Amino acid sequence: MKNHTHASTPTPFSPAPGENVAEGRMRGSTPHPELRARMLLILLLAVPLAAQERVTLIRNATILTITKGTIENGSVLIRGSKIAAVGKDVAAPASATVIDGTGKFVLPGIIDTHSHTGVEGSVNEISMPNTGMVRIADALTADDVSAYRQLAGGTTAALVLHGSANAIGGQSQIVKWKWGRPVSEWIVAGAPRTIKFALGENPKSANFRPPEGQARQYPATRMGVEEVIRKSFTDARDYMAEWDEYEAKRKRNETAIPPRRDVLMDTMADILRGNIDIHAHCYRSDEIVMLLRLADEMGFKVRELQHVLEGYKVAKEIAAHGAGSGTFIDWWGYKAEAYDATPYNVALMVRNGVLTSVNSDSDELARHLNHDAAKAMKYGGLTEDEALRLCTINPARQLRLDHRIGSIEVGKDADLAIWNGHPLSTYSRVDTTFIEGEIYFDRQRDLAQREAQRREKEELLKKEADEAKKKDTKEKKDA
Amino acid sequence: MSLRRCVAVLLFLAAPALLADAPGVYAITGGTVHPVSGPPIPNGVVIIRDGLIEAVGANVAIPRDATAIDVAGAHVYPGLIDAQTSLGFAAAPPRRGAGSTGERPPDPAPDTMAIRNVKISDDDADARRATGVTTILSAPASGIFNGQSVVLNLGSGAIESRVIKSPATTQISFNPRPAWTYPDSLMGVITYIRQTFMDAGHHRTARETYQRNPAGLQRPAESPSLESLQPALRRELPVVFLADSEEMIRRVQAIAREFELRYIVSGARQAYRMPSDLKNVPVLVAVKWPNAPADKEDREDQPLRVIRDRQLAPTTPAALQKAGVQFALVSGPGKTGDFIPGIRKAITNGLSADDALRATTLAPARILGIERQLGSLERGKIANVVVSDKPIFDEKAKVTRVFVDGREIRLPAEDKKAAESPASPIDGTWNLTVRAPQGSVAISVTLHAEDGKLTGTFSGDRGAGDIRSGSFDGTAFDFSISAAAQNEAETTDWAFRGTLTGDTMQGNVSTNLGTFEFSGSKSR
């Protein structure tokens, strides 16, 4: 059996995924000629390894499975991208890379259901009250280093949401933070489609104001927000009827001009067909109840309420609808609609049967959602297990991906992190983060590569400065 | 004066002008001829007749009626083709922030015809020709659907008579509109492009259905805009997408796949990362390479991957060449004067000079579908010919003669250029006084600003020489000189930084002994 420390000997430009340090490596790029030879050698060494399925055994660690209890002195066997075995006694093939987990904890990858990381350009298409046709997936970029920083906090998956500037925002995207891979691989294939809704101050333009001289955009009240959503769905029903009529004509072999395909109406129709999950930004209990009633009236479901600071007031209604809640544990007071909040919100919602998660809406908070989970034990007395669920299996269920992520179970994606202490302690940090069996963050590797990266940066800057100087001298001579 | 005499006098007066404008017959001899379609011909001959190339070779008889032009020692090339410019169109209006409301001109539309709107000044044409470029593609780049481009010769006469191809391409770029105007985000722009192509497809279906049998059908609305996209949907007209980053290029590929477009990627700064994924796509590489930030601290603040990317960008042409990708070098958003230096940088980053020549002649001609007319020196092709005193991409090469459509176009004389370029308010000689604690130091500087760069000389109490690293933005300026401290033989750097107010200037000068104030006035 190979020793993990040897297997992960730090090498600049190692093609293994997740080797990126503070600044990451170029993706799919051709390096400088002087670096090519070095890289080629490493590639040649790596190819045979990649050809066979990678097997990793983490042993003698405390396994926080989330769904199947905690296993002291346990092992997790990762084969390829999946978890192959979990338990006290796990047999591993001789080829497996073994990581000694003595004194360490293994937690499923943390899942953040409210992220704006990795979006190129604006996260808001702000131009209309309903911009449900736009798709975050179209503007995703793998060039956002925040993804790597989140890996360092044990976060492996997220829902990247459109902003909250309009009542119906854009279609959002579920991703895994595969830093170093092209963005097409970040997108979780087969994950449910999602869309952002927003209620309250933001969509009524209280916090997004056009420049002087430009008319304020409808709606300007909470009544208007409700009307925008209702109207969008009635329009969608008309649109669907128009298409039904056309299809009926075609069946009767009548000549007919097909209706114009409208990407916004297609989106609204897909929500009504249950093909797109709604994640709705909200704060106040009145608007929450408004949306749930509107959903019943128009025939759609709300998958998750986002922020939902007054959720504790209407937890029973939320639970009855079957919506989840993704909230902050102790952020409030930053605007009028965020005043009537309490850190007990999480515990109150959990105790009233709401599927609850803690999420970030922030590149920074996304790196330590375990802390927010831990606070729910202090504020409201959740058990350790319940607290851990807030950032693992609960968000997985809210994303309808709990068959793949959110717990350490045989057959699930090997998305997990090895912590040097209990993840609910502020003193603990992540040693290694895996996504689908590949290491995407390793603390030792990161530390080891910093010097090489610093040197490379210095060399590149010097080269650039020298060229500039040469050009300057030449121009002087020419003059 | 009889009417007949009057006409005769007028004809006589007009004759020289008419003669100068006639295509005529020329024999360019003595130079090394680079046909591009074949190997260079030392001491070759190019015969031009009536706007076309009549003969190219080593042993070509000089026609009796030809004007012989001896270019011994020089190099003869087909005129360069710049397949991506916005020459003749106003620069993009401000997108956001101050000044972005109200006065913004309307964006171009899919049916905007460049041929109707392009306005190339004589100065701009002169400047382009002086770099060896005789044919350009031009289209606006400020909107999303930027309309139908035109390919034209930089010759004389009406635009219509200079056109090689129109429409040449449909142009699309990913520019969000100002906030609160759809689409104001990148994802919105992509959706807008997709919806527009869907609408164009629907327009076709609706019209075809209606035309087959209008009875009982609602008449579809007419739309010049959607109509203008039909050739693109039929794959008759290529769609040029402006995309620089790898991710933007991949977004382009997704759109092109969705609508089965024939397309061209233009910009392509990060194409070095993905040459094998561009094998079936012509690429127009803009040689406007990313610059390092001027400020040292800003440079050091940048992450390694950004610095790496910046330095690898100019390896794109060499990488595409190696992978067998069809590509051309273009100026894109770059200035006229950046084109040849940009190509040189591609050459120092691994592209051979021969491949660079191909990428500015035959390659763009093929990409634009005009290779039967332009791109090489071959019998029957349009006589766009340039003569350069040295190999054209050499550091010190100078284009000495230019023929467009068989007419020789005079290059602007150096002195004329200097006289015509508007003088900068900083141009001239300045008497400066540096107030050092040991006493005042008098220095005289003669400055000249062009394109934000400041050049010139200095002389005075502490030595004389050239100024270095000068810049001038219209008000603020900075430059450095090497001058001696009092009673010192060795020189050190003095960095001047100041502002201009009419005929006076003031600011600070940093030396190794400290920072002192200076002021000065223009000498009359």
Side-chain angles (χ1 to χ4, degrees), chain B residues 313-401:
Chain B
T315 66
T316 287
L320 297 182
Q321 177 71 37
K322 201 169 154 218
V325 175
Q326 187 184 19
F327 75 99
L329 302 178
V330 300
S331 60
K335 287 190 199 135
T336 301
D338 295 337
F339 188 45
I340 300 294
I343 294 169
R344 277 203 290 267
K345 191 150 186 183
I347 292 172
T348 54
N349 280 276
L351 186 71
S352 76
D354 279 353
D355 289 334
L357 180 62
R358 188 167 282 272
T360 43
T361 51
L362 254 188
R366 287 203 175 119
I367 292 170
L368 298 175
I370 55 170
E371 74 277 13
R372 289 180 305 167
Q373 295 150 281
L374 287 168
S376 60
L377 296 178
E378 287 181 87
R379 181 181 161 80
K381 283 199 174 181
I382 293 169
N384 284 1
V385 181
V386 300
V387 180
S388 172
D389 62 351
K390 296 193 176 59
I392 194 159
F393 299 129
D394 269 21
E395 289 261 8
K396 295 199 171 158
K398 215 169 138 282
V399 170
T400 53
R401 307 190 86 133

Side-chain angles (χ1 to χ4, degrees), chain B residues 404-439:
Chain B
V404 181
D405 272 318
R407 294 173 177 85
E408 177 156 26
I409 312 276
R410 300 237 173 272
L411 289 166
E414 287 289 314
D415 53 0
K416 187 176 155 233
K417 210 168 80 185
E420 278 181 1
S421 71
S424 164
I426 205 166
D427 284 6
T429 299
W430 296 81
N431 296 317
L432 307 182
T433 307
V434 178
R435 285 181 291 282
Q438 300 85 350

Side-chain angles (χ1 to χ4, degrees), chain A residues 111-127:
Chain A
I111 300 161
D112 180 8
T113 62
H114 198 123
S115 174
H116 299 296
T117 301
V119 179
E120 185 172 337
S122 174
V123 300
N124 277 301
E125 172 61 46
I126 210 169
S127 53

Side-chain angles (χ1 to χ4, degrees), chain B residues 218-404:
Chain B
Q218 292 296 312
R219 186 176 74 256
E222 204 35 81
S223 167
S225 170
L226 296 177
E227 194 55 43
S228 74
L229 290 173
Q230 300 307 321
L233 281 184
R234 287 195 301 264
R235 299 175 64 86
E236 289 163 16
L237 201 65
V239 183
V240 174
F241 287 96
L242 270 56
D244 273 323
S245 69
E246 176 186 357
E247 286 171 346
M248 201 59 102
I249 295 170
R250 294 198 189 280
R251 291 173 189 133
V252 165
Q253 290 177 319
I255 294 170
R257 261 198 311 275
E258 183 174 355
F259 298 98
E260 298 176 0
L261 303 171
R262 225 178 96 206
Y263 71 111
I264 295 168
V265 170
S266 179
R269 176 173 58 84
Q270 282 184 346
Y272 69 87
R273 298 180 174 196
M274 53 185 306
S276 58
D277 292 341
L278 294 167
K279 291 234 158 114
N280 303 314
V281 195
V283 180
L284 307 176
V285 183
V287 296
K288 185 187 191 298
W289 307 118
N291 284 322
D295 192 78
K296 188 160 179 277
E297 263 177 49
D298 291 346
R299 282 201 298 276
E300 284 168 359
D301 278 351
Q302 286 186 319
L304 176 56
R305 69 182 194 285
V306 171
I307 300 168
R308 272 182 189 156
D309 178 52
R310 177 167 75 227
Q311 297 196 13
L312 287 170
T315 66
T316 287
L320 297 182
Q321 177 71 37
K322 201 169 154 218
V325 175
Q326 187 184 19
F327 75 99
L329 302 178
V330 300
S331 60
K335 287 190 199 135
T336 301
D338 295 337
F339 188 45
I340 300 294
I343 294 169
R344 277 203 290 267
K345 191 150 186 183
I347 292 172
T348 54
N349 280 276
L351 186 71
S352 76
D354 279 353
D355 289 334
L357 180 62
R358 188 167 282 272
T360 43
T361 51
L362 254 188
R366 287 203 175 119
I367 292 170
L368 298 175
I370 55 170
E371 74 277 13
R372 289 180 305 167
Q373 295 150 281
L374 287 168
S376 60
L377 296 178
E378 287 181 87
R379 181 181 161 80
K381 283 199 174 181
I382 293 169
N384 284 1
V385 181
V386 300
V387 180
S388 172
D389 62 351
K390 296 193 176 59
I392 194 159
F393 299 129
D394 269 21
E395 289 261 8
K396 295 199 171 158
K398 215 169 138 282
V399 170
T400 53
R401 307 190 86 133
V402 175
F403 295 82
V404 181

